[in-house]
Amino acid sequence: MIFRKGVKGMLLSCAGAAAVGVSLLVAPYSAQASTEPQALALSVKVQINSDLVEFPDAQPFIDEKGLTQVPVRFVSEELGFKVDWSTVEGLFKVRLTSQDGRSLELETGDCTAVVNGEAKHMDSAPVLKNGRVFVPLRFISEAKGIRVQWDPSNFIAILNEDGNYHAPAWYAPRMELLSTFTASAYSAAPEENGGYAGLDYFGNPLELGTVAVDPSVIPLGTRLYIEGYNFDGLPEGGMVVEAKDIGGSMKGNRIDIFVPSTRDHLLKFGLQEVKVYKLPQNTD
């Protein structure tokens, strides 16, 4: 398999010095689908014809509308676009041009793109995230007339630049259902954490996504997906977590879910039966 190395973006800062790239919406993707365990476990992959695009720093992500965005500089230049940008009052303006005269203009926070001189509406506006500008791919692919196929099983977007359909150049590892576990919830209170307020077993701050386990059943550091709970304060449907804590009562098929709330509120969680899946540990 061939990896196509992306070109590093230009460095700017918050005051004119932070790394800037551009990104694209990889494919139509429903918000409902983005909550599935396998999707949550994996990074989005992008492929041009038969070659994967490598993202050395900023990674693709799914926005709040369920649309996938990825850093475009590592893709646009492979598609023959020249990328230029400017800043006006803190907003980033991006212009993509190709040798055949096609052009695309976008601005962070604005859902209107100008494609070949014609204004078009975008479902998601370009955003500045971690010093990079992300914009929807749909308009880049339309500007170049490139078909995008989405492989939901492998969480990969395939840009058919040559006009042909291509098989995925990367196949997603599968997650494994471990068993049904009895779950409880705990807070950051010292009495629930061996006298150490707000810290997990490794001494790191507790955060949503931390669970306590029996290490003889689930090794510490294991990434998990849990579903089946019902509690205000946890993501609806299910959540990706990591086994980063232990507890005296965590024996066998027991897990304790950290929730940033009060002990009184967490008493309402009680004991609930949940399904626990082991996620692929290396997904990038």
Side-chain angles (χ1 to χ4, degrees), residues 121-183:
H121 176 76
M122 296 183 291
D123 292 331
S124 289
V127 296
L128 181 66
K129 178 179 172 142
N130 298 328
R132 289 193 176 272
V133 177
F134 291 79
V135 304
L137 162 69
R138 177 183 306 165
F139 296 91
I140 294 178
S141 62
E142 286 179 353
K144 283 289 285 185
I146 297 172
R147 179 182 59 228
V148 180
Q149 65 183 88
W150 174 252
D151 185 329
S153 297
N154 296 295
F155 217 45
I156 188 169
I158 304 173
L159 282 67
N160 300 308
E161 183 185 19
D162 60 7
N164 299 316
Y165 283 99
H166 294 272
W170 181 85
Y171 291 91
R174 301 294 98 186
M175 66 181 189
E176 172 190 357
L177 174 62
L178 294 180
S179 185
T180 298
F181 282 65
T182 300

Side-chain angles (χ1 to χ4, degrees), residues 16-39:
V20 172
V22 188
S23 255
L24 19 125
L25 163 74
V26 199
Y29 193 68
S30 74
Q32 180 64 32
S34 68
T35 63
E36 293 178 355
Q38 188 69 12

Side-chain angles (χ1 to χ4, degrees), residues 16-129:
V20 172
V22 188
S23 255
L24 19 125
L25 163 74
V26 199
Y29 193 68
S30 74
Q32 180 64 32
S34 68
T35 63
E36 293 178 355
Q38 188 69 12
L40 289 167
L42 301 172
S43 298
V44 177
K45 307 294 181 183
V46 179
Q47 176 180 331
I48 299 177
N49 297 331
S50 297
D51 303 337
L52 280 179
V53 176
E54 183 181 355
F55 298 95
D57 44 23
Q59 298 300 311
F61 72 95
I62 297 173
D63 67 20
E64 66 278 1
K65 293 186 178 179
L67 301 177
T68 308
Q69 301 197 30
V70 302
V72 76
R73 177 162 289 281
F74 309 109
V75 177
S76 61
E77 293 186 355
E78 294 283 356
L79 298 178
F81 279 109
K82 178 177 180 289
V83 183
D84 297 291
W85 57 79
S86 60
T87 58
V88 179
E89 297 180 349
L91 297 177
F92 288 82
K93 294 187 176 183
V94 180
R95 178 176 174 82
L96 305 179
T97 54
S98 61
Q99 291 184 347
D100 60 6
R102 305 183 192 220
S103 66
L104 175 63
E105 299 177 28
L106 309 104
E107 180 178 312
T108 53
D110 191 345
C111 284
T112 300
V114 179
V115 181
N116 301 324
E118 180 181 353
K120 290 184 177 290
H121 176 76
M122 296 183 291
D123 292 331
S124 289
V127 296
L128 181 66
K129 178 179 172 142

